[in-house]
């Protein structure tokens, strides 16, 4: 195949979930609804937390940033897909594709670190309740947010700049509804060994360390709860972690689903559906998980509405 330098590439083609013209209106309606629900749900969470002084605590501080990250994560991918369906076009510019790769990595990484920070917050609240206010002070909370943003930005820029050095062939079709790093690297005609090593190395470190932190936090939490004498105290402690555990399970469950599906199947459609579950479903469901399982959030939302 003819090789093109990256400066000669005008656009990539996003094949999406289906090429059947009859399914396009259904897909447009479905994803427009999902995006509007995601945007409305996360905006309501942020507004409710900001407007209710009772929710100005570290746990809800992290939750508001998680909602902002979810909204941005969904906005990075879904609107472009809706525009392409409406225009009956599959194209995305070279610059637009790499920009999408960068922001997907940025917000996915930020969510990863935010979930770890929220797990640490629950660990301190349950295992060290008397020192909670001292440990989880505004300075530490702000530092954790800043650290997650800096590390995620560095990761996103590293992978994006490494893609810039690649040369691509004339076959520029991406069998997804957005520009996923792994799929873009597969289209390159030049040597991608360094890119693949970086993907596996950085993903293992930046994905594994927060996950280990979450596992450690909940190991300590469960151990502390089991030592509590009263059943009421145990229930109250578990209830404060229920929403976070549900969100963690959803985030990492869909992430591992993408990895397993890409490893076990060669069907591009199945891989695209798995990626859809990872990038679209968690941002939509997270506001419902936190609002339906949290009495304080319910009251704040009632006041706001």
């Amino acid at each position: 195949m003819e090789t093109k330098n990256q400066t000669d590439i005008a656009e990539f083609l996003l094949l999406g979930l289906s090429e059947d013209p009859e399914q396009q209106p259904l897909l447009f309606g479905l994803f427009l609804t999902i995006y509007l629900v995601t945007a409305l749900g996360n905006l309501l969470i942020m507004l409710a937390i900001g407007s209710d002084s009772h929710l100005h605590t570290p746990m809800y501080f992290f939750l508001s940033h998680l909602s902002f990250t979810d909204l941005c994560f969904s906005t990075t991918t879904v609107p472009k897909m809706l525009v392409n369906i409406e225009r009956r076009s599959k194209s995305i510019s070279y610059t637009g594709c790499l920009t999408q790769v960068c922001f997907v990595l940025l917000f996915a990484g930020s969510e990863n670190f935010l979930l770890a920070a929220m797990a640490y917050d629950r660990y301190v609240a349950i295992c060290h309740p008397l020192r909670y206010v001292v440990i989880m002070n505004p300075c530490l909370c702000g530092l954790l947010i800043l650290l997650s943003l800096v590390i995620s930005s560095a990761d996103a820029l590293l992978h994006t700049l490494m893609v810039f050095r690649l040369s691509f062939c004339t076959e520029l079709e991406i069998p997804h509804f957005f520009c996923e790093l792994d799929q873009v690297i597969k289209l390159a005609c030049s040597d991608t060994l360094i890119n693949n090593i970086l993907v596996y190395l950085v993903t293992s470190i930046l994905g594994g360390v927060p996950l280990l932190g979450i596992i450690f936090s909940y190991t300590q939490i469960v151990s502390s709860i089991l030592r509590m004498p009263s059943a009421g105290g145990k229930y109250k402690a578990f209830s404060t972690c229920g929403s976070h555990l549900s969100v963690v399970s959803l985030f990492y469950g869909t992430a591992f689903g993408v990895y397993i599906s890409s490893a076990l199947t060669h069907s591009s459609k199945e891989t695209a559906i798995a990626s859809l579950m990872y990038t679209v479903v968690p941002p939509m469901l997270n506001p419902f998980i936190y609002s339906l399982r949290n009495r304080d959030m319910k009251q704040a939302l009632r006041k706001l509405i």
Side-chain angles (χ1 to χ4, degrees), residues 9-233:
I9 298 170
E11 61 186 21
F12 290 95
L13 297 178
L14 298 173
L15 300 184
L17 298 175
S18 173
E19 297 185 49
D20 186 353
E22 294 181 358
Q23 293 182 1
Q24 300 310 305
L26 177 63
L27 289 174
F28 182 85
L30 175 64
F31 284 100
L32 178 61
T33 302
I34 288 174
Y35 181 69
L36 291 176
V37 170
T38 301
L40 181 61
N42 285 292
L43 282 172
L44 282 174
I45 293 289
M46 288 187 284
L47 289 172
I49 292 172
S51 62
D52 193 332
S53 60
H54 294 95
L55 300 183
H56 293 174
T57 63
M59 182 176 76
Y60 294 107
F61 174 75
F62 291 128
L63 177 57
S64 64
H65 281 82
L66 180 68
S67 293
F68 175 75
T69 302
D70 281 337
L71 177 58
C72 293
F73 196 10
S74 186
T75 302
T76 302
T77 56
V78 178
K80 177 58 181 174
M81 180 178 64
L82 293 174
V83 169
N84 280 4
I85 293 174
E86 178 65 23
R87 294 180 177 176
R88 298 184 180 180
S89 167
K90 299 177 182 177
S91 66
I92 182 171
S93 67
Y94 174 78
T95 303
C97 186
L98 292 194
T99 302
Q100 197 174 64
V101 167
C102 184
F103 280 107
V104 166
L105 291 172
L106 170 63
F107 295 122
S110 296
E111 181 149 351
N112 189 31
F113 283 106
L114 278 171
L115 290 175
M118 294 171 80
Y120 177 70
D121 172 74
R122 293 298 84 206
Y123 159 72
V124 176
I126 294 173
C127 299
H128 305 284
L130 298 179
R131 299 174 57 200
Y132 178 75
V133 177
V134 176
I135 296 175
M136 297 304 297
N137 57 74
C139 183
L140 178 63
C141 294
L143 185 62
L144 290 173
I145 295 293
L146 180 62
L147 192 63
S148 71
L149 183 61
V150 169
I151 295 175
S152 300
S153 299
D155 173 49
L157 287 173
L158 172 65
H159 289 300
T160 305
L161 292 174
M162 289 301 294
V163 172
F164 269 112
R165 57 180 284 276
L166 299 177
S167 297
F168 293 88
C169 303
T170 53
E171 188 70 28
L172 298 174
E173 294 182 344
I174 299 175
H176 276 54
F177 66 95
F178 71 99
C179 288
E180 192 177 48
L181 176 63
D182 181 56
Q183 297 298 323
V184 174
I185 291 175
K186 286 180 179 178
L187 296 178
C189 287
S190 54
D191 184 23
T192 60
L193 177 63
I194 297 176
N195 294 76
N196 288 323
I197 290 174
L198 274 176
V199 168
Y200 286 113
L201 180 63
V202 176
T203 302
S204 298
I205 295 172
L206 298 187
V209 171
L211 180 57
L212 287 175
I214 292 172
I215 293 172
F216 171 79
S217 295
Y218 275 102
T219 302
Q220 298 299 310
I221 287 171
V222 170
S223 175
S224 179
I225 289 174
L226 291 177
R227 291 197 300 267
M228 291 180 179
S230 67

Side-chain angles (χ1 to χ4, degrees), residues 226-245:
L226 291 177
R227 291 197 300 267
M228 291 180 179
S230 67
K234 290 179 180 179
Y235 175 77
K236 185 177 180 181
F238 270 122
S239 65
T240 62
C241 303
S243 299
H244 181 256
L245 269 176

